[in-house]
Amino acid sequence: MAVALLIGVLSVTAAALNPALYPAQFTRGPAPLDQWVVQYLTNANIPNVPVNKVPNPFPDWTLDETACEKSNAWAITFDDGPGDFTPILLDLLDKAHVKITFFVVGSRLLSADQANVLLRAYQAGHQIGIHTWSHMPLTTQTNEQILGEILWSGSAIQEITGVFPQYFRPPYGDIDPRVRAIIHSVGLKTIVWNEDSKDWLQADPSSAKAYNFSYNDLPNEFASWIQNPPEPDGGIISLQHDLFGGVDKVVNQCLQMVMSAGYNILPVGNCISNPVPWYWKDNTSAAWSVGNALNNGGAIAPPEARALNLSQTNASKAEANTSAISSQATQSKFVETASAAPTTLASVGSLTVSKVGAAVSFQQPGMKEAFHSMRDASSASSNTCIFEKASNMVLFTLMNLLL
């Protein structure tokens, strides 16, 4: 196979990936290349933390970036795209002269249309970050699967834009010391959030009704954040998703509200307390160093993660595909036929995690909102995960925005 060409951003007018060189779209836990494993896992100091069956319901974000440094700074971030509505959002941001951050799901870029949307966002000056290949909760993945999720996505971004992001957001904010160590071993900086718009509820009307959520109420949510900031001395990093309609009306209103309140809207890389450069751009440099990457941004992106080094043989590609299929089969063993009684999946401290019916993915909101919706278990539908703590039942709808 031919090695992917690196094209300078100024000369690029169209973008396209060769799907034959990448895992299939939305492959969960895609197998990493052998050289990635050797470079980033073999000698890495990764804690021996068990792989979760379900996402961590209370992730500890104390070691991750959750807020802008200055109280008048606001980083608006959009996850899970590019999507069909991203061009509308880009038009809106252009008119408002605002730059934001997009955390990108790599396998969406196998679509030539979405690859061009990403290129447009990058060329317009928006920050691009990595949001994994398939949007799986990472604490439920093995070390190798996590590495594949990160580096396949970063490599796709790099092939399209010519740069490899240094910023990363774990899907659902699902992180623990093991996941964080692997993220750091690749030299990436982890960004989460301190305000969740909950716009992901649009993916399931029944859940939106249960949470009493309406996308048109989002400006009211922004107004409440302005009136009651989440950080006494810092700014806001807000979470939204560019997969849904209505952004032209609702987001414009939110932008105007934020700016009228005196906030500076910035890409997240410009507002946090310990920033690193947004990207690596040197495609030929020698080995990378965690210390440089995390402390002063002086590291160079791993050569194997730059445009993939796509000189794999057909045999190695077939082996990677076999491994990917195996990883999907491993996950499918948690899918069970619906039954009348909840099935206990795991216990985390005093929290018992159960489910009713078959489950293929878990949607876990932001830390603050994780347990804000209470209702009786008898109202659970066949696709509802029940988080039981003491006498309260908290219901999470099982959603997979990528399927």
Side-chain angles (χ1 to χ4, degrees):
M1 295 184 182
V3 177
L5 294 177
L6 300 176
I7 306 174
V9 66
L10 295 179
S11 64
V12 174
T13 57
L17 300 179
N18 181 353
L21 302 180
Y22 288 85
Q25 194 166 44
F26 306 133
T27 297
R28 298 177 179 183
L33 299 181
D34 290 343
Q35 60 262 41
W36 294 350
V37 174
V38 171
Q39 185 164 355
Y40 302 113
L41 296 182
T42 301
N43 297 315
N45 185 21
I46 300 172
N48 186 23
V49 176
V51 177
N52 288 345
K53 289 185 177 181
V54 297
N56 186 350
F58 289 114
D60 179 4
W61 292 346
T62 55
L63 297 178
D64 309 308
E65 297 285 355
T66 60
C68 291
E69 180 178 19
K70 296 181 179 179
S71 59
N72 69 338
W74 191 314
I76 294 178
T77 65
F78 277 82
D79 288 11
D80 296 1
D84 292 340
F85 299 98
T86 308
I88 300 174
L89 176 59
L90 291 173
D91 290 342
L92 181 66
L93 296 170
D94 286 346
K95 292 178 181 178
H97 304 290
V98 167
K99 307 300 180 186
I100 66 170
T101 301
F102 291 93
F103 287 100
V104 173
V105 172
S107 62
R108 290 192 181 278
L109 304 176
L110 292 177
S111 159
D113 289 343
Q114 304 303 0
N116 281 302
V117 171
L118 173 70
L119 183 59
R120 175 188 169 187
Y122 171 71
Q123 290 178 327
H126 300 291
Q127 182 180 10
I128 308 300
I130 298 172
H131 198 43
T132 73
W133 179 256
S134 74
H135 204 269
M136 285 296 290
L138 292 183
T139 66
T140 70
Q141 304 292 284
T142 66
N143 294 354
E144 290 76 13
Q145 288 173 319
I146 294 169
L147 189 66
E149 288 279 357
I150 295 170
L151 292 185
W152 283 114
S153 182
S155 297
I157 294 169
Q158 192 276 335
E159 186 175 352
I160 291 167
T161 65
V163 296
F164 192 98
Q166 291 199 45
Y167 285 72
F168 177 81
R169 173 171 282 167
Y172 316 114
D174 184 41
I175 195 169
D176 62 14
R178 179 178 67 93
V179 173
R180 187 178 290 108
I182 296 171
I183 294 169
H184 285 184
S185 78
V186 185
L188 303 182
K189 194 168 186 66
T190 306
I191 306 294
V192 279
W193 59 87
N194 55 14
E195 292 293 3
D196 179 2
S197 71
K198 296 183 286 294
D199 61 350
W200 45 266
L201 283 167
Q202 293 180 92
D204 186 345
S206 62
S207 294
K209 183 178 180 181
Y211 281 78
N212 193 29
F213 173 84
S214 169
Y215 189 54
N216 290 328
D217 292 337
L218 193 57
N220 294 332
E221 190 77 5
F222 270 65
S224 70
W225 302 340
I226 292 170
Q227 294 169 5
N228 300 288
E231 308 287 339
D233 301 315
I236 294 175
I237 298 177
S238 60
L239 170 66
Q240 292 176 258
H241 300 81
D242 50 330
L243 298 181
F244 312 110
V247 295
D248 52 339
K249 173 184 173 184
V250 173
V251 173
N252 183 58
Q253 188 175 348
C254 293
L255 289 175
Q256 299 305 319
M257 184 182 302
V258 169
M259 290 186 288
S260 296
Y263 283 92
N264 294 322
I265 300 177
L266 301 170
V268 72
N270 285 354
C271 85
I272 58 176
S273 58
N274 185 28
V276 295
W278 290 6
Y279 313 108
W280 285 294
K281 295 185 178 181
D282 186 335
N283 302 307
T284 60
S285 182
W288 140 108
S289 150
V290 174
N292 284 340
L294 298 182
N295 294 330
N296 60 29
I300 300 303
E304 293 83 355
R306 321 258 337 148
L308 299 180
N309 249 352
L310 290 175
S311 55
Q312 301 179 78
T313 65
N314 290 331
S316 65
K317 183 64 178 177
E319 182 180 353
N321 287 339
T322 300
S323 177
I325 292 170
S326 174
S327 81
Q328 292 183 71
T330 300
Q331 293 190 42
S332 67
K333 70 181 180 182
F334 301 121
V335 178
E336 302 174 8
T337 304
S339 60
T343 300
T344 298
L345 295 178
S347 294
V348 183
S350 61
L351 182 71
T352 299
V353 181
S354 306
K355 72 174 175 64
V356 175
V360 295
S361 65
F362 296 82
Q363 172 73 29
Q364 192 263 111
M367 185 166 59
K368 288 186 177 181
E369 291 80 13
F371 292 90
H372 71 278
S373 178
M374 303 285 184
R375 56 185 177 136
D376 188 83
S378 63
S379 65
S381 64
S382 62
N383 69 337
T384 300
C385 182
I386 304 174
F387 289 75
E388 181 177 8
K389 187 174 185 180
S391 60
N392 293 325
M393 306 297 291
V394 181
L395 308 185
F396 284 179
T397 298
L398 301 175
M399 295 188 300
N400 189 337
L401 303 181
L402 304 178
L403 295 180

